[in-house]
Amino acid sequence: ERIAELDAKIPATAGFRAANAGEQFQCGATSIAFDGHGAISHLVYDGFDWANGAHSLMQLKYRSYSANDVASFVKKYVKTNGSWAAKDYGKPGLPEDVEGRLWQPAL
């Protein structure tokens, strides 16, 4: 019974609306906006400018590594022939078709 309370639940969205990138929100002395990649592109608190179009904050990025990326890393940095080394520092079983790149969200 108590475990069931831990199940994820979709939050209610009544009273909320979708926002647009760059739209500024005001809460007391704080004004905030997010750019098209989800970074804080505008943050002013009590008159001090913490973020703006030229200096954003906290952009989420995700880096994936291809089999070639991992092989290059192992060749450059792993200096032992122990069978454990490739398992600890490599990615055993990584499919060859995984793309190595930097991913960014889009709003």
Side-chain angles (χ1 to χ4, degrees), residues 36-49:
H37 294 291
I40 298 173
S41 58
H42 169 83
L43 180 61
V44 176
Y45 173 72
D46 204 20
F48 187 81
D49 189 6

PDB file of all heavy atoms in Angstrom, residues 36-49:
ATOM      1  N   GLY A  36      15.375  29.046 -26.634  1.00  0.00           N
ATOM      2  CA  GLY A  36      14.865  27.920 -27.405  1.00  0.00           C
ATOM      3  C   GLY A  36      15.507  26.588 -27.085  1.00  0.00           C
ATOM      4  O   GLY A  36      15.020  25.540 -27.517  1.00  0.00           O
ATOM      5  N   HIS A  37      16.609  26.588 -26.323  1.00  0.00           N
ATOM      6  CA  HIS A  37      17.266  25.340 -25.908  1.00  0.00           C
ATOM      7  C   HIS A  37      17.053  25.051 -24.421  1.00  0.00           C
ATOM      8  O   HIS A  37      17.651  24.139 -23.877  1.00  0.00           O
ATOM      9  CB  HIS A  37      18.764  25.392 -26.211  1.00  0.00           C
ATOM     10  CG  HIS A  37      19.065  25.433 -27.671  1.00  0.00           C
ATOM     11  ND1 HIS A  37      18.851  24.366 -28.501  1.00  0.00           N
ATOM     12  CD2 HIS A  37      19.543  26.425 -28.451  1.00  0.00           C
ATOM     13  CE1 HIS A  37      19.189  24.691 -29.728  1.00  0.00           C
ATOM     14  NE2 HIS A  37      19.609  25.940 -29.723  1.00  0.00           N
ATOM     15  N   GLY A  38      16.247  25.861 -23.756  1.00  0.00           N
ATOM     16  CA  GLY A  38      15.942  25.622 -22.353  1.00  0.00           C
ATOM     17  C   GLY A  38      16.869  26.298 -21.362  1.00  0.00           C
ATOM     18  O   GLY A  38      16.692  26.173 -20.156  1.00  0.00           O
ATOM     19  N   ALA A  39      17.876  27.017 -21.850  1.00  0.00           N
ATOM     20  CA  ALA A  39      18.785  27.728 -20.942  1.00  0.00           C
ATOM     21  C   ALA A  39      18.088  28.964 -20.387  1.00  0.00           C
ATOM     22  O   ALA A  39      17.186  29.528 -21.011  1.00  0.00           O
ATOM     23  CB  ALA A  39      20.058  28.151 -21.673  1.00  0.00           C
ATOM     24  N   ILE A  40      18.507  29.392 -19.211  1.00  0.00           N
ATOM     25  CA  ILE A  40      17.995  30.643 -18.654  1.00  0.00           C
ATOM     26  C   ILE A  40      18.649  31.782 -19.436  1.00  0.00           C
ATOM     27  O   ILE A  40      19.853  31.995 -19.352  1.00  0.00           O
ATOM     28  CB  ILE A  40      18.313  30.756 -17.147  1.00  0.00           C
ATOM     29  CG1 ILE A  40      17.629  29.619 -16.379  1.00  0.00           C
ATOM     30  CG2 ILE A  40      17.870  32.120 -16.616  1.00  0.00           C
ATOM     31  CD1 ILE A  40      18.017  29.544 -14.922  1.00  0.00           C
ATOM     32  N   SER A  41      17.848  32.469 -20.226  1.00  0.00           N
ATOM     33  CA  SER A  41      18.378  33.524 -21.094  1.00  0.00           C
ATOM     34  C   SER A  41      18.135  34.922 -20.517  1.00  0.00           C
ATOM     35  O   SER A  41      18.630  35.906 -21.055  1.00  0.00           O
ATOM     36  CB  SER A  41      17.734  33.433 -22.476  1.00  0.00           C
ATOM     37  OG  SER A  41      16.325  33.552 -22.371  1.00  0.00           O
ATOM     38  N   HIS A  42      17.362  34.985 -19.455  1.00  0.00           N
ATOM     39  CA  HIS A  42      17.087  36.260 -18.795  1.00  0.00           C
ATOM     40  C   HIS A  42      16.832  35.953 -17.319  1.00  0.00           C
ATOM     41  O   HIS A  42      15.965  35.141 -16.993  1.00  0.00           O
ATOM     42  CB  HIS A  42      15.849  36.932 -19.410  1.00  0.00           C
ATOM     43  CG  HIS A  42      15.361  38.101 -18.630  1.00  0.00           C
ATOM     44  ND1 HIS A  42      15.887  39.367 -18.758  1.00  0.00           N
ATOM     45  CD2 HIS A  42      14.378  38.204 -17.693  1.00  0.00           C
ATOM     46  CE1 HIS A  42      15.245  40.190 -17.941  1.00  0.00           C
ATOM     47  NE2 HIS A  42      14.333  39.510 -17.282  1.00  0.00           N
ATOM     48  N   LEU A  43      17.619  36.548 -16.456  1.00  0.00           N
ATOM     49  CA  LEU A  43      17.392  36.396 -15.023  1.00  0.00           C
ATOM     50  C   LEU A  43      17.815  37.689 -14.339  1.00  0.00           C
ATOM     51  O   LEU A  43      18.996  38.045 -14.341  1.00  0.00           O
ATOM     52  CB  LEU A  43      18.183  35.217 -14.449  1.00  0.00           C
ATOM     53  CG  LEU A  43      18.015  34.979 -12.940  1.00  0.00           C
ATOM     54  CD1 LEU A  43      16.557  34.683 -12.584  1.00  0.00           C
ATOM     55  CD2 LEU A  43      18.916  33.827 -12.490  1.00  0.00           C
ATOM     56  N   VAL A  44      16.836  38.385 -13.807  1.00  0.00           N
ATOM     57  CA  VAL A  44      17.092  39.618 -13.065  1.00  0.00           C
ATOM     58  C   VAL A  44      16.466  39.434 -11.699  1.00  0.00           C
ATOM     59  O   VAL A  44      15.296  39.075 -11.584  1.00  0.00           O
ATOM     60  CB  VAL A  44      16.496  40.856 -13.775  1.00  0.00           C
ATOM     61  CG1 VAL A  44      16.694  42.104 -12.929  1.00  0.00           C
ATOM     62  CG2 VAL A  44      17.122  41.027 -15.149  1.00  0.00           C
ATOM     63  N   TYR A  45      17.272  39.655 -10.676  1.00  0.00           N
ATOM     64  CA  TYR A  45      16.783  39.560  -9.304  1.00  0.00           C
ATOM     65  C   TYR A  45      17.136  40.839  -8.571  1.00  0.00           C
ATOM     66  O   TYR A  45      18.318  41.219  -8.511  1.00  0.00           O
ATOM     67  CB  TYR A  45      17.378  38.357  -8.576  1.00  0.00           C
ATOM     68  CG  TYR A  45      17.012  38.329  -7.115  1.00  0.00           C
ATOM     69  CD1 TYR A  45      15.716  38.030  -6.710  1.00  0.00           C
ATOM     70  CD2 TYR A  45      17.948  38.655  -6.144  1.00  0.00           C
ATOM     71  CE1 TYR A  45      15.367  38.039  -5.367  1.00  0.00           C
ATOM     72  CE2 TYR A  45      17.613  38.665  -4.800  1.00  0.00           C
ATOM     73  CZ  TYR A  45      16.318  38.356  -4.418  1.00  0.00           C
ATOM     74  OH  TYR A  45      15.971  38.374  -3.097  1.00  0.00           O
ATOM     75  N   ASP A  46      16.148  41.499  -8.075  1.00  0.00           N
ATOM     76  CA  ASP A  46      16.332  42.710  -7.278  1.00  0.00           C
ATOM     77  C   ASP A  46      17.225  43.732  -8.000  1.00  0.00           C
ATOM     78  O   ASP A  46      18.100  44.344  -7.391  1.00  0.00           O
ATOM     79  CB  ASP A  46      16.896  42.342  -5.911  1.00  0.00           C
ATOM     80  CG  ASP A  46      16.584  43.372  -4.838  1.00  0.00           C
ATOM     81  OD1 ASP A  46      15.638  44.166  -5.034  1.00  0.00           O
ATOM     82  OD2 ASP A  46      17.289  43.388  -3.808  1.00  0.00           O
ATOM     83  N   GLY A  47      17.021  43.839  -9.312  1.00  0.00           N
ATOM     84  CA  GLY A  47      17.769  44.816 -10.104  1.00  0.00           C
ATOM     85  C   GLY A  47      19.116  44.338 -10.621  1.00  0.00           C
ATOM     86  O   GLY A  47      19.750  45.012 -11.416  1.00  0.00           O
ATOM     87  N   PHE A  48      19.592  43.163 -10.181  1.00  0.00           N
ATOM     88  CA  PHE A  48      20.883  42.653 -10.652  1.00  0.00           C
ATOM     89  C   PHE A  48      20.654  41.675 -11.804  1.00  0.00           C
ATOM     90  O   PHE A  48      19.859  40.753 -11.699  1.00  0.00           O
ATOM     91  CB  PHE A  48      21.643  41.956  -9.525  1.00  0.00           C
ATOM     92  CG  PHE A  48      23.040  41.558  -9.920  1.00  0.00           C
ATOM     93  CD1 PHE A  48      24.070  42.474  -9.907  1.00  0.00           C
ATOM     94  CD2 PHE A  48      23.305  40.262 -10.342  1.00  0.00           C
ATOM     95  CE1 PHE A  48      25.352  42.111 -10.279  1.00  0.00           C
ATOM     96  CE2 PHE A  48      24.586  39.894 -10.721  1.00  0.00           C
ATOM     97  CZ  PHE A  48      25.615  40.821 -10.686  1.00  0.00           C
ATOM     98  N   ASP A  49      21.370  41.880 -12.912  1.00  0.00           N
ATOM     99  CA  ASP A  49      21.236  41.071 -14.126  1.00  0.00           C
ATOM    100  C   ASP A  49      22.149  39.846 -14.040  1.00  0.00           C
ATOM    101  O   ASP A  49      23.358  39.962 -14.200  1.00  0.00           O
ATOM    102  CB  ASP A  49      21.604  41.939 -15.338  1.00  0.00           C
ATOM    103  CG  ASP A  49      21.297  41.282 -16.657  1.00  0.00           C
ATOM    104  OD1 ASP A  49      20.696  40.195 -16.670  1.00  0.00           O
ATOM    105  OD2 ASP A  49      21.660  41.869 -17.692  1.00  0.00           O
TER     106      ASP A  49
END
